[in-house]
Amino acid sequence: METLWRAATGQEPNPEDYKGIEFWSNPERSGWLTKQGDYIKTWRRRWFVLKQSKLVWFKDSDVTRGSAPRGVIEVGKCLTVKGAEDIVNKPFAFELSTNHDTMYFIADTEKEKEEWINSIGRSIVQHSRSVTESEVVDYDSRRG
């Protein structure tokens, strides 16, 4: 089972996981979220950046070209993003899930929660469209 996110075990993510993503420039969305650890279930406040179907996070908001993400989520491999207040018993909570894993986040306000859900949802849909289109192109080219 491939793990969806890096750094859940306290290890730094592999630079290959975010290669070519200029996360320090013009993100689709960025902001503070509180994230639940995957193994140690503590809540930690991190600066998140969504860009090119990757959700990366940092300890602080001063993100530059030289910053190293503390973790990376491949949003394109996610299936759902939805509210999760009733699951974690905290306001403004949402979850991001695959077939195997679910990760929980808490935004600062209801508005920010909805904006993150919408942005991540758009990224999931855009990635699924691009995968479908590339599969169609490959299929057509093989038909000769």
Side-chain angles (χ1 to χ4, degrees):
M1 175 175 70
E2 176 187 8
T3 184
L4 176 67
W5 24 79
R6 303 281 186 178
T9 59
Q11 300 170 351
E12 294 295 318
N14 183 335
E16 288 297 311
D17 291 340
Y18 52 87
K19 185 178 179 181
I21 311 268
E22 295 182 357
F23 49 75
W24 59 89
S25 172
N26 300 315
E28 293 158 38
R29 173 160 302 286
S30 63
W32 290 103
L33 291 170
T34 302
K35 174 188 81 65
Q36 188 178 41
D38 203 23
Y39 294 104
I40 302 169
K41 300 292 185 189
T42 55
W43 291 93
R44 293 206 171 110
R45 194 162 167 81
R46 296 290 184 251
W47 182 259
F48 282 80
V49 173
L50 175 64
K51 188 163 184 183
Q52 294 170 246
S53 290
K54 303 274 187 178
L55 186 61
V56 295
W57 64 90
F58 305 86
K59 271 196 166 176
D60 61 62
S61 60
D62 185 24
V63 177
T64 66
R65 183 184 298 265
S67 297
R70 305 287 294 177
V72 181
I73 297 173
E74 289 194 49
V75 174
K77 293 185 177 178
C78 294
L79 300 176
T80 62
V81 59
K82 62 186 178 184
E85 286 97 341
D86 53 337
I87 295 170
V88 297
N89 294 315
K90 295 183 184 292
F92 322 129
F94 65 97
E95 67 180 47
L96 185 54
S97 300
T98 68
N99 279 333
H100 307 290
D101 298 305
T102 299
M103 196 166 194
Y104 297 99
F105 305 89
I106 301 171
D108 290 344
T109 66
E110 180 66 23
K111 182 176 187 282
E112 286 180 23
K113 179 191 97 171
E114 293 301 327
E115 287 171 348
W116 275 106
I117 288 173
N118 289 338
S119 295
I120 292 169
R122 267 195 305 277
S123 187
I124 292 170
V125 169
Q126 285 167 355
H127 183 270
S128 67
R129 277 194 193 135
S130 67
V131 168
T132 303
E133 287 166 8
S134 69
E135 287 170 352
V136 169
V137 170
D138 291 344
Y139 176 73
D140 288 345
S141 67
R142 277 183 271 149
R143 290 175 64 194

